[in-house]
Every structure is written in C-alpha cells, then in structure tokens.
C-alpha cells in the first residue's frame, strides 16, 4: 500500500511538471518582462523546482525503471491541460495515443513488479 501512495505522488508531480508548460505558454503570450510575464515565468520555475524536489523523493521509494516509465504520462497530462485551459481540440488519434501510453505504463509496471517478486 505504501508503494501505491508513492505512485500517486509520482503522478501528482508529473502533473506539476506538465503545468509548468502551461505557465510557459501563458507567459509567451505576454509582453516581455511585463508583470504578468514575470509572474507566469516565476510560476513555471516554481513548478519545475517542486517537480525536481518531488522527483528526488519518488525515486527514493520506487524503482527507477518504474518511475521513468511513468514519465510518459506527461503527454496525457499535456493533452488534458491543453483541452481544459487552452480549449484545444482532442483528436481521436490523441485519445488512442493516450490509451496506448497508459496501457504501456500499466504493462511495464506489472512486469517490473512481477520480476521483482521472483526469487
């Protein structure tokens, strides 16, 4: 059960990592060095610092191969955030791609856990 908690933490920090790109895209639409630009750019940097600190904690508690395999979910976060924040269209290909990414992560993690249980 403890490992499930770290999977949740991992996916939350991967969401934070994806959110840093949202701040970056929003900052790009602002005049350079304006107050909104600086705040959004600062938000991006803060999100990246939070991600780096969280990542260090996650790799202490989960196998590195498992943690890296789950990083692919940032693509799914990107699709979701693009849809929710920027009203970007989600295509059937993106949905199929997201499902394939999630299925690949699940298969990899299950195989990794099964391999770890063998004597």
């Amino acid at each position: 059960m403890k490992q499930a908690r770290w999977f949740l933490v991992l996916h939350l920090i991967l969401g934070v990592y994806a959110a840093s790109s949202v701040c970056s895209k929003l900052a790009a639409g602002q005049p350079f060095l304006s107050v909104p630009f600086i705040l959004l750019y600062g938000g991006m940097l803060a999100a990246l610092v939070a991600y780096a600190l969280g990542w260090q904690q996650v790799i202490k508690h989960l196998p590195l191969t498992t943690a890296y395999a789950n990083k692919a979910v940032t693509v799914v976060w990107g699709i979701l955030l693009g849809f929710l924040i920027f009203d970007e269209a989600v295509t059937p290909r993106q949905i199929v791609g997201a499902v394939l990414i999630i299925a690949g992560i699940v298969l990899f993690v299950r195989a990794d856990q099964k391999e770890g249980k063998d004597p």
Side-chain angles (χ1 to χ4, degrees):
M1 196 62 165
K2 186 179 180 185
Q3 194 172 30
R5 186 179 119 223
W6 284 106
F7 272 111
L8 177 62
V9 171
L10 171 62
H11 285 270
L12 288 174
I13 66 162
L14 291 173
V16 168
Y17 178 72
S20 72
S21 296
V22 171
C23 288
S24 178
K25 183 171 180 168
L26 290 171
Q30 302 299 320
F32 184 64
L33 295 180
S34 66
V35 172
F37 175 86
I38 291 169
L39 290 174
L40 289 165
Y41 194 76
M44 179 196 71
L45 293 175
L48 290 174
V49 167
Y51 163 75
L53 294 173
W55 178 255
Q56 294 301 313
Q57 294 305 308
V58 166
I59 61 175
K60 285 183 188 178
H61 296 92
L62 291 177
L64 189 60
T65 54
T66 300
Y68 265 102
N70 278 268
K71 283 185 86 169
V73 84
T74 57
V75 173
V76 179
W77 276 108
I79 293 169
L80 183 62
L81 291 172
F83 172 74
L84 293 174
I85 296 172
F86 299 109
D87 201 31
E88 295 177 354
V90 178
T91 66
R93 282 185 180 187
Q94 289 172 322
I95 293 170
V96 169
V99 168
L100 288 173
I101 288 169
I102 293 168
I105 291 169
V106 169
L107 290 172
F108 183 86
V109 169
R110 283 189 177 177
D112 202 32
Q113 288 174 341
K114 191 175 188 181
E115 189 175 289
K117 289 181 182 179
D118 291 339

